């Protein structure tokens, strides 16, 4: 996906470093007045754009890829998570599953799974003991 930004602000616009760490590619030089800049985002994403005004320090733009979370995608993600939980439950005792996975929530961003735990202790326990098991699912 391509996103084009035209600088009509009469000021230089710096590009926030997170633009690049989030997977967007573009020329990293500041955008001059009346200049157009093209940002290339990963396939299947659309741009989420935020601009900050730091007064005399100038303007900064962030262009971050966001995945399309349609109802169909959410249903697919819920199905994926249920399948992962089924596989985990067949690999651990019922007590362990109840303690560490029964009350988790999930979100998928592209191919990245984020598991939300009830507290930090649960998060650390799942991370330290079950990361390899989850990754193989």
């Amino acid at each position: 996906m391509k996103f084009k930004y035209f600088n009509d602000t009469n000021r230089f616009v710096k590009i926030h470093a997170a633009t690049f760490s989030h997977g967007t590619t573009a020329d990293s030089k500041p955008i001059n007045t009346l200049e157009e800049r093209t940002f290339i985002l990963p396939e299947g994403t659309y741009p989420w754009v935020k601009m900050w005004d730091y007064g005399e320090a100038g303007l900064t733009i962030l262009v971050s890829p966001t995945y399309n979370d349609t109802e169909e995608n959410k249903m697919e993600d819920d199905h994926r998570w249920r399948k992962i939980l089924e596989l985990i439950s067949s690999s651990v005792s019922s007590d362990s599953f109840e303690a560490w996975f029964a009350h988790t929530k999930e979100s998928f961003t592209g191919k990245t799974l984020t598991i939300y735990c009830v507290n930090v202790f649960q998060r650390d326990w799942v991370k330290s003991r079950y990361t390899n098991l989850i990754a193989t699912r």
Side-chain angles (χ1 to χ4, degrees):
M1 149 71 89
K2 289 183 181 180
F3 170 74
K4 292 186 179 194
Y5 169 75
F6 180 74
N7 182 4
D8 62 353
T9 65
N10 290 326
R11 299 166 71 188
F12 289 106
V13 177
K14 297 175 192 166
I15 301 174
H16 195 284
T19 294
F20 307 107
S21 66
H22 290 175
T24 301
T25 58
D27 186 347
S28 62
K29 296 183 301 194
I31 306 167
N32 295 315
T33 300
L34 303 179
E35 180 184 345
E36 182 177 89
R37 182 68 50 88
T38 300
F39 295 85
I40 309 295
L41 292 93
E43 283 298 316
T45 64
Y46 62 93
W48 182 86
V49 181
K50 172 81 175 165
M51 185 174 280
W52 293 270
D53 185 346
Y54 292 110
E56 290 182 26
L59 299 168
T60 300
I61 190 170
L62 169 67
V63 180
S64 184
T66 302
Y67 290 86
N68 189 3
D69 287 337
T70 63
E71 279 302 311
E72 186 176 310
N73 287 345
K74 289 179 184 175
M75 289 174 51
E76 286 177 24
D77 290 348
D78 289 343
H79 179 73
R80 285 167 58 190
W81 182 237
R82 282 194 304 275
K83 292 301 263 182
I84 291 169
L85 288 176
E86 286 175 19
L87 292 167
I88 291 170
S89 70
S90 68
S91 301
V92 301
S93 72
S94 58
D95 289 339
S96 291
F97 182 83
E98 181 64 30
W100 305 116
F101 294 99
H103 305 287
T104 58
K105 303 267 189 247
E106 94 301 328
S107 72
F108 290 91
T109 305
K111 294 181 180 180
T112 302
L113 165 65
T114 302
I115 300 172
Y116 297 95
C117 296
V118 175
N119 55 45
V120 174
F121 181 76
Q122 180 189 18
R123 180 201 65 198
D124 292 346
W125 188 272
V126 168
K127 187 176 181 180
S128 68
R129 289 177 174 73
Y130 295 109
T131 297
N132 290 338
L133 175 64
I134 295 166
T136 62
R137 304 302 178 213

